[in-house]
Amino acid sequence: MSKIIIKKSDPLTGRICCSGSKNAALPILAATILTKGRSRLYNIPRLSDIENMLELLSGLGGKCVREGNILTVDFSECRGYTAPYEPVSKFRGSFLLAGPLLSRMGRARISMPGGCPIGNRPIDLHLKGFSALGAEIENGHGYVDLSCKRLKGAKIYLDFPSVGATENLIMAAVLADGETVIENAAAEPEITDLADFLNQQGALISGMGSDTVNIIGVKDLIPCSHSVISDRIEAGTFMSAFAITGGCGEITNVNPLHVKPVTAKLSEMGAKIQEHENSINVDARAHLSSANIKTLPFPGFPTDMQAQFSALLCETEGTSIIVETVFENRFLHVGELNRMGANIRIDGRSSVIEGNKKLSGSKVTAFDLRGGASLVLAGLCACGETEISGVEHINRGYENLCGKLSSIGANIFLE
Ligand code: UD1
């Protein structure tokens, strides 16, 4: 099993480039099932979650060919409707196959995604929406089985603006009869990217990026080429890396509008940030102050940046409070940060971080993707050497993290 080794690093400087977004690529890859033809996708990162999705698509008859970060997926034929346990159990995004399979095959049999270290993560909102669109639902033997003769547009209200449910229901509704309205929909940029991809193929989706998404069903979709948006969470992680080392540099291939909540928080803490069309400059050479954070659906502060800011706030002046409102158990990194000398207390869904701690390098374990990123950040400023195991979690969502960070001066390598 590989490990990441990090030694205390000087302030990071230079230019670092973001990859394509994992969370945008996954639903778009699932959506290729809807199109009888060859989709060409650009800016697809090399990550284990993406490789697992490609394995599932190939098993369903998709012909997937990768050339660097370009992928072509040909679903002229779809040969099945089952997503089996092994690949599904490796990543939650696999449940995004349900909507497209139900639409194309009239049936989707997906292994229950089950629990996850950061929370229970039920699928009730997805199922409620599928049922409103006319699907029959059965559960048994660890599988959820969805079937329908023909999906019919419906009005669906989501109790919570779930990203995955909004994506799954958009994909189920694009080829359904009539109009679907999703109320209290999620507004994340990844949803807009999915809708843009589908609209380029002839779908009629409007309202994406707001809390009400309208979809008018069309007869079929015409294959297209699409470039997936860049990874706003990777960008936020790099911004935090400059900040935690007191560094200064440029992050390229990022849409500043997608990282607004992170930019706003870092500016409040005293970092100087300049936004350009497709890049961001971060100057964190001044001492940063503490901050209070509440994670919320977009455009609120992303839950996917909570762990990285937990590490950053250990280094700032004063006490900070983080309230995690999206996932009930997303503080797995806290014990590991405390092992490195942090002083973080958890009280229900909040954590209280006493800042100005001198972190010290230790052996620690990544239990989940973003928690793993927080340990990398802590390792950059901790005295001595940090050894992180559980690297497979980090590889799910960061393309070449060690290589990219070392290119801006981090003392980090993969062993
Ligand atoms: C997506 C992202 C993940 C991010 C999360 C929130 C992908 C592949 N993953 O996950 O990185 O952290 O959005 O921004 O895009 N919920 C229900 N019932 C449901 C569905 C969700 O109660 O049927 C709850 C969840 O348990 C959670 C909350 O809604 O508490 C948000 O989950 P959701 O937005 O669905 O996250 P994902 O789509 O799984």
Side-chain angles (χ1 to χ4, degrees), residues 7-249:
K7 296 200 176 97
K8 185 174 167 63
S9 303
D10 288 335
L12 301 182
T13 54
R15 179 181 290 166
I16 189 164
C17 181
C18 294
S19 299
S21 159
K22 164 180 89 73
N23 287 353
L26 287 174
I28 287 174
L29 283 169
T32 59
I33 291 176
L34 294 165
T35 311
K36 290 179 183 153
R38 202 170 62 149
S39 309
R40 192 170 170 82
L41 304 171
Y42 297 86
N43 208 24
I44 302 291
R46 275 192 188 276
L47 301 167
S48 58
D49 273 14
I50 301 288
E51 301 314 315
N52 287 325
M53 179 58 100
L54 293 178
E55 184 188 328
L56 279 162
L57 294 180
S58 302
L60 292 164
K63 293 195 183 81
C64 309
V65 179
R66 192 192 257 281
E67 290 165 64
N69 286 338
I70 306 171
L71 259 178
T72 50
V73 184
D74 188 340
F75 258 110
S76 300
E77 266 186 83
C78 185
R79 284 201 305 267
Y81 53 79
T82 301
Y85 174 76
E86 267 301 318
V88 167
S89 64
K90 290 183 189 153
F91 69 117
R92 295 279 313 183
S94 51
F95 198 68
L96 293 168
L97 293 170
L101 282 176
L102 188 58
S103 170
R104 172 121 182 214
M105 307 300 282
R107 191 151 177 209
R109 192 166 178 272
I110 317 260
S111 174
M112 285 291 281
C116 157
I118 64 170
N120 190 23
R121 301 184 85 172
I123 49 167
D124 57 315
L125 300 174
H126 301 241
L127 298 185
K128 193 173 130 185
F130 290 141
S131 166
L133 293 170
E136 302 279 333
I137 300 166
E138 274 181 50
N139 284 311
H141 306 287
Y143 278 80
V144 52
D145 209 323
L146 306 162
S147 57
C148 66
K149 287 214 169 64
R150 183 108 193 99
L151 293 172
K152 280 207 179 71
K155 208 165 192 179
I156 302 163
Y157 176 85
L158 297 179
D159 296 333
F160 185 90
S162 154
V163 174
T166 304
E167 292 165 345
N168 240 336
L169 296 173
I170 289 175
M171 292 188 281
V174 275
L175 297 172
D177 288 335
E179 185 177 357
T180 297
V181 182
I182 308 173
E183 290 177 315
N184 201 25
E188 269 67 2
E190 293 77 16
I191 287 162
T192 304
D193 202 30
L194 171 67
D196 287 346
F197 169 65
L198 291 166
N199 281 345
Q200 267 186 74
Q201 300 182 79
L204 292 173
I205 306 166
S206 57
M208 56 280 196
S210 79
D211 63 4
T212 306
V213 178
N214 281 69
I215 305 126
I216 297 169
V218 294
K219 286 234 156 359
D220 50 22
L221 300 174
I222 304 137
C224 77
S225 296
H226 178 78
S227 184
V228 167
I229 56 169
S230 300
D231 198 311
R232 65 192 167 102
I233 304 303
E234 188 191 25
T237 305
F238 294 155
M239 291 167 85
S240 310
F242 283 119
I244 206 165
T245 59
C248 173

